[in-house]
Amino acid sequence: MAPPGLTEALAAVLGVGFGAFMLAYPGVVLAVQTAGTRPDRQPGPDGETPGGGGVMETVVRVVGGGFVLAGLYFASLFL
């Protein structure tokens, strides 16, 4: 097996960094992913976009946790 190089280092840094961002700010990730993609997501009478945020925020957090774990795996290749 070849020693870990730049690819593994980038995978570790990006995995942990983006995963931590997804865990800390799932609403921002959802807003970026849904911006301009669905014309039926118009703001409601109170100015809020239609819901479902609770379940989707949980999904984003779970995926973020997976990214953190994958990043830690790649970081462990350097030990």
Coordinates of all heavy atoms in Angstrom, one line a residue:
M1 N 0.8 -1.2 0.0 CA 0.0 0.0 0.0 C 0.9 1.2 0.0 O 1.8 1.3 0.7 CB -0.9 0.0 1.2 CG -1.9 1.1 1.3 SD -3.1 0.7 2.5 CE -3.4 2.4 3.1
A2 N 0.6 2.2 -0.8 CA 1.3 3.4 -0.9 C 1.1 4.3 0.3 O 0.0 4.3 0.9 CB 1.0 4.2 -2.2
P3 N 2.1 5.0 0.7 CA 1.9 5.9 1.8 C 0.9 7.0 1.5 O 0.8 7.4 0.3 CB 3.3 6.5 2.0 CG 4.0 6.4 0.7 CD 3.5 5.1 0.1
P4 N 0.2 7.5 2.5 CA -0.8 8.5 2.2 C -0.1 9.8 1.7 O 0.9 10.2 2.1 CB -1.5 8.8 3.6 CG -0.5 8.2 4.6 CD 0.3 7.2 3.9
G5 N -0.8 10.5 0.8 CA -0.3 11.7 0.2 C -1.3 12.8 0.3 O -2.1 12.9 1.2
L6 N -1.2 13.7 -0.7 CA -2.0 14.9 -0.7 C -3.5 14.6 -0.8 O -4.3 15.3 -0.2 CB -1.5 15.8 -1.9 CG -2.3 17.1 -2.1 CD1 -2.1 18.0 -0.8 CD2 -1.8 17.8 -3.3
T7 N -3.8 13.6 -1.6 CA -5.2 13.3 -1.8 C -5.9 12.9 -0.5 O -7.0 13.3 -0.1 CB -5.4 12.1 -2.8 OG1 -4.7 12.5 -4.0 CG2 -6.8 11.8 -3.1
E8 N -5.2 12.1 0.3 CA -5.8 11.6 1.6 C -5.8 12.8 2.6 O -6.7 12.9 3.4 CB -4.9 10.5 2.2 CG -5.1 9.2 1.5 CD -4.3 9.1 0.2 OE1 -3.5 9.9 -0.1 OE2 -4.5 8.1 -0.5
A9 N -4.8 13.7 2.5 CA -4.8 14.8 3.4 C -6.0 15.8 3.1 O -6.6 16.3 4.0 CB -3.5 15.6 3.3
L10 N -6.2 16.0 1.8 CA -7.4 16.8 1.4 C -8.7 16.2 1.8 O -9.6 16.9 2.3 CB -7.3 17.1 -0.1 CG -6.3 18.1 -0.5 CD1 -6.2 18.2 -2.1 CD2 -6.5 19.5 0.1
A11 N -8.8 14.9 1.6 CA -10.0 14.2 2.0 C -10.2 14.3 3.5 O -11.4 14.5 4.0 CB -9.9 12.7 1.6
A12 N -9.2 14.2 4.3 CA -9.3 14.3 5.8 C -9.8 15.8 6.2 O -10.7 15.9 6.9 CB -8.0 14.0 6.5
V13 N -9.1 16.8 5.6 CA -9.4 18.1 6.0 C -10.8 18.5 5.5 O -11.6 19.1 6.3 CB -8.4 19.1 5.4 CG1 -8.8 20.6 5.6 CG2 -7.0 18.9 6.1
L14 N -11.1 18.2 4.3 CA -12.5 18.6 3.7 C -13.6 17.8 4.4 O -14.7 18.3 4.7 CB -12.5 18.4 2.2 CG -11.7 19.4 1.4 CD1 -11.7 19.0 -0.1 CD2 -12.1 20.8 1.6
G15 N -13.3 16.5 4.7 CA -14.4 15.7 5.3 C -14.7 16.2 6.7 O -15.9 16.4 7.0
V16 N -13.7 16.4 7.5 CA -13.9 16.9 8.9 C -14.5 18.3 8.8 O -15.5 18.7 9.5 CB -12.6 16.9 9.7 CG1 -12.8 17.5 11.0 CG2 -12.2 15.4 9.9
G17 N -13.9 19.2 8.0 CA -14.4 20.6 7.9 C -15.8 20.7 7.5 O -16.7 21.4 8.1
F18 N -16.2 20.1 6.3 CA -17.5 20.3 5.8 C -18.5 19.5 6.7 O -19.6 20.0 6.9 CB -17.6 19.8 4.3 CG -18.9 20.1 3.7 CD1 -19.3 21.4 3.5 CD2 -19.7 19.0 3.3 CE1 -20.5 21.6 2.9 CE2 -20.9 19.3 2.7 CZ -21.3 20.6 2.5
G19 N -18.1 18.4 7.2 CA -19.0 17.6 8.1 C -19.3 18.4 9.4 O -20.5 18.5 9.8
A20 N -18.3 19.1 9.9 CA -18.5 19.9 11.1 C -19.5 21.1 10.8 O -20.3 21.5 11.6 CB -17.2 20.4 11.7
F21 N -19.3 21.7 9.6 CA -20.2 22.7 9.1 C -21.6 22.3 9.0 O -22.6 22.9 9.4 CB -19.7 23.3 7.8 CG -20.5 24.5 7.3 CD1 -20.3 25.7 7.9 CD2 -21.5 24.3 6.3 CE1 -21.1 26.8 7.4 CE2 -22.2 25.4 5.9 CZ -22.0 26.6 6.4
M22 N -21.8 21.1 8.5 CA -23.1 20.5 8.3 C -23.8 20.2 9.7 O -25.0 20.4 9.8 CB -23.1 19.2 7.5 CG -22.8 19.5 6.0 SD -22.6 17.9 5.1 CE -24.3 17.4 4.9
L23 N -23.0 19.8 10.6 CA -23.5 19.5 12.0 C -23.9 20.8 12.7 O -24.9 20.9 13.4 CB -22.5 18.8 12.8 CG -22.2 17.3 12.4 CD1 -21.0 16.8 13.2 CD2 -23.5 16.5 12.7
A24 N -23.1 21.9 12.5 CA -23.3 23.1 13.2 C -24.4 24.0 12.6 O -25.2 24.6 13.2 CB -22.0 23.9 13.3
Y25 N -24.5 24.0 11.2 CA -25.4 24.9 10.5 C -26.2 24.1 9.5 O -26.1 24.4 8.3 CB -24.6 26.0 9.8 CG -23.8 26.8 10.8 CD1 -22.4 26.7 10.8 CD2 -24.4 27.7 11.6 CE1 -21.6 27.4 11.6 CE2 -23.6 28.5 12.5 CZ -22.3 28.3 12.5 OH -21.5 29.1 13.4
P26 N -27.1 23.2 9.9 CA -27.9 22.4 8.9 C -28.8 23.3 8.1 O -29.1 23.0 6.9 CB -28.6 21.4 9.7 CG -28.7 22.0 11.0 CD -27.4 22.8 11.2
G27 N -29.3 24.4 8.7 CA -30.3 25.3 8.0 C -29.6 26.0 6.8 O -30.2 26.2 5.8
V28 N -28.4 26.4 7.0 CA -27.6 27.0 5.9 C -27.4 26.1 4.8 O -27.6 26.4 3.6 CB -26.3 27.6 6.4 CG1 -25.4 28.1 5.3 CG2 -26.5 28.7 7.5
V29 N -27.0 24.8 5.1 CA -26.8 23.8 4.1 C -28.1 23.6 3.3 O -28.1 23.5 2.0 CB -26.3 22.5 4.7 CG1 -26.2 21.4 3.6 CG2 -25.0 22.7 5.3
L30 N -29.2 23.5 4.0 CA -30.5 23.3 3.3 C -30.9 24.5 2.5 O -31.4 24.4 1.3 CB -31.6 23.0 4.3 CG -31.6 21.7 5.0 CD1 -32.6 21.6 6.1 CD2 -31.9 20.6 4.0
A31 N -30.6 25.7 2.9 CA -31.0 26.9 2.2 C -30.2 27.0 0.9 O -30.7 27.3 -0.2 CB -30.7 28.2 3.0
V32 N -28.9 26.6 1.0 CA -28.0 26.6 -0.2 C -28.5 25.6 -1.2 O -28.5 25.8 -2.4 CB -26.6 26.5 0.2 CG1 -25.7 26.2 -1.0 CG2 -26.1 27.7 0.9
Q33 N -28.8 24.4 -0.7 CA -29.2 23.3 -1.6 C -30.5 23.5 -2.3 O -30.8 23.0 -3.3 CB -29.2 22.0 -0.8 CG -27.8 21.5 -0.4 CD -27.0 21.2 -1.6 OE1 -27.4 20.6 -2.6 NE2 -25.7 21.7 -1.6
T34 N -31.4 24.3 -1.6 CA -32.8 24.4 -2.2 C -33.0 25.8 -2.8 O -34.0 26.1 -3.3 CB -33.8 24.2 -1.1 OG1 -33.6 25.2 -0.1 CG2 -33.8 22.8 -0.6
A35 N -31.9 26.7 -2.9 CA -32.1 28.0 -3.4 C -32.4 27.9 -4.9 O -31.6 27.4 -5.7 CB -30.8 28.8 -3.2
G36 N -33.5 28.5 -5.3 CA -33.8 28.5 -6.7 C -34.1 27.2 -7.4 O -34.2 27.2 -8.7
T37 N -34.3 26.2 -6.7 CA -34.5 24.9 -7.4 C -36.0 24.5 -7.5 O -36.3 23.7 -8.4 CB -33.8 23.8 -6.6 OG1 -34.3 23.7 -5.3 CG2 -32.3 24.0 -6.7
R38 N -36.8 25.0 -6.6 CA -38.2 24.6 -6.6 C -39.1 25.9 -6.6 O -39.2 26.6 -5.6 CB -38.5 23.8 -5.4 CG -37.8 22.4 -5.5 CD -38.2 21.5 -4.3 NE -39.6 21.5 -4.0 CZ -40.1 21.1 -2.8 NH1 -39.2 20.8 -1.9 NH2 -41.3 21.1 -2.6
P39 N -39.8 26.2 -7.7 CA -40.6 27.4 -7.7 C -41.8 27.3 -6.8 O -42.3 28.4 -6.4 CB -41.1 27.4 -9.2 CG -40.8 26.1 -9.8 CD -39.8 25.4 -8.9
D40 N -42.2 26.2 -6.3 CA -43.3 26.1 -5.4 C -42.9 26.4 -3.9 O -43.8 26.4 -3.0 CB -44.0 24.7 -5.4 CG -43.0 23.6 -5.0 OD1 -41.8 23.7 -5.3 OD2 -43.5 22.6 -4.5
R41 N -41.7 26.7 -3.7 CA -41.2 27.1 -2.3 C -41.2 28.6 -2.1 O -40.2 29.1 -1.8 CB -39.9 26.4 -2.0 CG -39.9 24.9 -1.9 CD -38.6 24.4 -1.5 NE -38.1 24.9 -0.3 CZ -38.2 24.3 0.9 NH1 -38.9 23.2 1.0 NH2 -37.7 24.8 2.0
Q42 N -42.3 29.2 -2.3 CA -42.5 30.6 -2.1 C -42.7 30.9 -0.6 O -43.2 30.1 0.1 CB -43.7 31.2 -2.9 CG -43.5 31.0 -4.4 CD -42.3 31.7 -4.9 OE1 -42.0 32.8 -4.5 NE2 -41.6 31.0 -5.9
P43 N -42.2 32.1 -0.1 CA -42.4 32.4 1.3 C -43.9 32.4 1.6 O -44.7 32.9 0.8 CB -41.8 33.8 1.4 CG -40.8 33.9 0.3 CD -41.4 33.0 -0.8
G44 N -44.2 32.0 2.8 CA -45.6 32.0 3.3 C -46.0 33.4 3.8 O -45.3 34.4 3.7
P45 N -47.2 33.5 4.4 CA -47.7 34.8 4.8 C -46.8 35.4 5.9 O -46.8 36.6 6.1 CB -49.1 34.5 5.3 CG -49.3 33.0 5.3 CD -48.1 32.4 4.6
D46 N -46.2 34.6 6.7 CA -45.3 35.1 7.8 C -43.9 35.3 7.3 O -43.0 35.6 8.1 CB -45.3 34.2 9.0 CG -44.9 32.8 8.7 OD1 -44.7 32.4 7.5 OD2 -44.7 32.0 9.6
G47 N -43.6 35.1 6.0 CA -42.2 35.3 5.5 C -41.3 34.1 5.5 O -40.2 34.1 5.1
E48 N -41.8 33.0 6.1 CA -41.0 31.8 6.2 C -41.3 30.9 5.0 O -42.4 30.8 4.5 CB -41.4 31.0 7.5 CG -41.0 31.8 8.8 CD -39.5 31.9 8.9 OE1 -38.8 31.0 8.6 OE2 -39.0 33.0 9.4
T49 N -40.3 30.1 4.6 CA -40.5 29.1 3.6 C -41.2 27.9 4.2 O -41.1 27.6 5.4 CB -39.1 28.7 3.0 OG1 -38.3 28.2 4.0 CG2 -38.4 29.8 2.3
P50 N -41.9 27.2 3.3 CA -42.7 26.0 3.8 C -41.7 25.0 4.5 O -40.6 24.8 4.1 CB -43.3 25.5 2.6 CG -43.2 26.5 1.6 CD -42.2 27.4 2.0
G51 N -42.3 24.3 5.4 CA -41.6 23.5 6.4 C -40.9 22.2 5.9 O -40.5 22.0 4.8
G52 N -40.9 21.2 6.9 CA -40.2 20.0 6.7 C -38.8 20.1 7.2 O -38.0 19.2 7.0
G53 N -38.4 21.2 7.8 CA -37.0 21.5 8.2 C -36.5 20.6 9.2 O -35.3 20.3 9.3
G54 N -37.4 20.1 10.1 CA -36.9 19.3 11.2 C -36.3 18.0 10.8 O -35.3 17.6 11.2
V55 N -37.1 17.3 9.9 CA -36.6 16.0 9.4 C -35.4 16.2 8.5 O -34.4 15.5 8.6 CB -37.7 15.3 8.6 CG1 -37.2 14.1 7.9 CG2 -38.9 15.0 9.5
M56 N -35.4 17.2 7.6 CA -34.3 17.4 6.7 C -33.1 17.9 7.4 O -31.9 17.5 7.1 CB -34.7 18.4 5.6 CG -35.7 17.8 4.6 SD -35.3 16.2 3.9 CE -33.8 16.6 3.1
E57 N -33.2 18.6 8.5 CA -32.1 19.1 9.3 C -31.4 17.8 9.9 O -30.2 17.8 10.0 CB -32.5 20.1 10.3 CG -32.7 21.5 9.7 CD -33.0 22.5 10.7 OE1 -33.1 22.2 12.0 OE2 -33.2 23.7 10.3
T58 N -32.2 16.9 10.4 CA -31.7 15.7 11.0 C -30.9 14.9 9.9 O -29.8 14.3 10.2 CB -32.8 14.8 11.5 OG1 -33.5 15.6 12.5 CG2 -32.3 13.5 12.2
V59 N -31.4 14.8 8.7 CA -30.8 14.1 7.6 C -29.4 14.8 7.3 O -28.4 14.1 7.2 CB -31.6 14.0 6.3 CG1 -30.8 13.5 5.1 CG2 -32.9 13.2 6.6
V60 N -29.4 16.1 7.3 CA -28.2 16.8 7.0 C -27.2 16.6 8.1 O -26.0 16.4 7.9 CB -28.4 18.3 6.9 CG1 -27.1 19.1 6.9 CG2 -29.2 18.6 5.6
R61 N -27.6 16.5 9.4 CA -26.7 16.3 10.5 C -26.1 14.9 10.4 O -25.0 14.6 10.7 CB -27.4 16.5 11.8 CG -27.6 18.0 12.1 CD -28.1 18.1 13.6 NE -28.0 19.5 13.9 CZ -29.1 20.3 14.2 NH1 -30.3 19.7 14.1 NH2 -29.0 21.5 14.5
V62 N -27.0 13.9 10.0 CA -26.5 12.5 9.9 C -25.4 12.4 8.8 O -24.4 11.8 9.0 CB -27.7 11.5 9.7 CG1 -27.2 10.2 9.3 CG2 -28.5 11.4 10.9
V63 N -25.7 13.0 7.7 CA -24.7 13.0 6.6 C -23.4 13.7 7.0 O -22.3 13.3 6.7 CB -25.3 13.6 5.3 CG1 -24.3 13.8 4.2 CG2 -26.4 12.7 4.8
G64 N -23.6 14.8 7.7 CA -22.4 15.6 8.3 C -21.6 14.7 9.2 O -20.4 14.7 9.2
G65 N -22.3 14.0 10.1 CA -21.5 13.0 10.9 C -20.8 12.0 10.2 O -19.7 11.6 10.5
G66 N -21.4 11.5 9.1 CA -20.7 10.5 8.2 C -19.4 11.2 7.6 O -18.4 10.5 7.5
F67 N -19.6 12.4 7.1 CA -18.4 13.1 6.6 C -17.3 13.3 7.6 O -16.1 13.1 7.3 CB -18.8 14.5 6.0 CG -19.4 14.5 4.7 CD1 -20.0 15.6 4.2 CD2 -19.5 13.3 3.9 CE1 -20.7 15.6 3.0 CE2 -20.1 13.3 2.7 CZ -20.7 14.4 2.2
V68 N -17.6 13.6 8.8 CA -16.6 13.7 9.9 C -15.9 12.4 10.1 O -14.7 12.3 10.2 CB -17.3 14.3 11.2 CG1 -16.3 14.2 12.4 CG2 -17.7 15.7 11.0
L69 N -16.7 11.3 10.2 CA -16.1 10.0 10.4 C -15.2 9.6 9.3 O -14.1 9.0 9.5 CB -17.2 9.0 10.6 CG -18.0 9.1 11.9 CD1 -19.1 8.0 12.0 CD2 -17.1 8.9 13.1
A70 N -15.6 9.9 8.0 CA -14.8 9.5 6.9 C -13.5 10.4 6.9 O -12.4 9.9 6.6 CB -15.6 9.8 5.6
G71 N -13.6 11.7 7.3 CA -12.4 12.5 7.4 C -11.5 12.0 8.4 O -10.3 12.0 8.2
L72 N -12.0 11.6 9.5 CA -11.2 11.0 10.6 C -10.5 9.7 10.2 O -9.4 9.4 10.5 CB -12.0 10.8 11.9 CG -12.4 12.1 12.6 CD1 -13.3 11.7 13.8 CD2 -11.3 12.9 13.0
Y73 N -11.2 8.9 9.4 CA -10.6 7.7 8.8 C -9.4 8.1 7.9 O -8.3 7.5 8.1 CB -11.6 6.9 8.0 CG -11.0 5.8 7.2 CD1 -10.5 4.7 7.8 CD2 -10.8 6.0 5.8 CE1 -9.9 3.7 7.1 CE2 -10.2 5.0 5.1 CZ -9.7 3.8 5.7 OH -9.1 2.9 5.0
F74 N -9.6 9.0 7.1 CA -8.5 9.4 6.2 C -7.3 10.0 7.0 O -6.2 9.8 6.7 CB -8.9 10.3 5.1 CG -9.7 9.6 4.0 CD1 -11.1 9.9 3.8 CD2 -9.1 8.7 3.2 CE1 -11.8 9.2 2.8 CE2 -9.8 8.0 2.2 CZ -11.1 8.3 2.0
A75 N -7.7 10.7 8.0 CA -6.6 11.3 8.9 C -5.9 10.2 9.6 O -4.7 10.3 9.9 CB -7.3 12.3 9.9
S76 N -6.6 9.1 10.0 CA -5.9 8.0 10.6 C -4.8 7.3 9.8 O -4.0 6.6 10.3 CB -6.9 7.0 11.2 OG -7.4 6.2 10.1
L77 N -4.9 7.5 8.5 CA -3.9 6.9 7.6 C -2.6 7.5 7.8 O -1.6 6.9 7.4 CB -4.4 7.0 6.1 CG -5.7 6.3 5.7 CD1 -6.0 6.7 4.3 CD2 -5.5 4.8 5.9
F78 N -2.5 8.7 8.4 CA -1.2 9.3 8.6 C -0.5 8.9 9.9 O 0.6 9.3 10.1 CB -1.4 10.9 8.6 CG -1.7 11.4 7.2 CD1 -3.0 11.7 6.9 CD2 -0.7 11.7 6.3 CE1 -3.3 12.2 5.6 CE2 -1.0 12.1 5.1 CZ -2.3 12.4 4.7
L79 N -1.2 8.1 10.7 CA -0.7 7.7 12.0 C 0.1 6.4 11.8 O 0.0 5.6 11.0 CB -1.8 7.5 13.0 CG -2.5 8.8 13.3 CD1 -3.6 8.5 14.4 CD2 -1.6 9.9 13.9

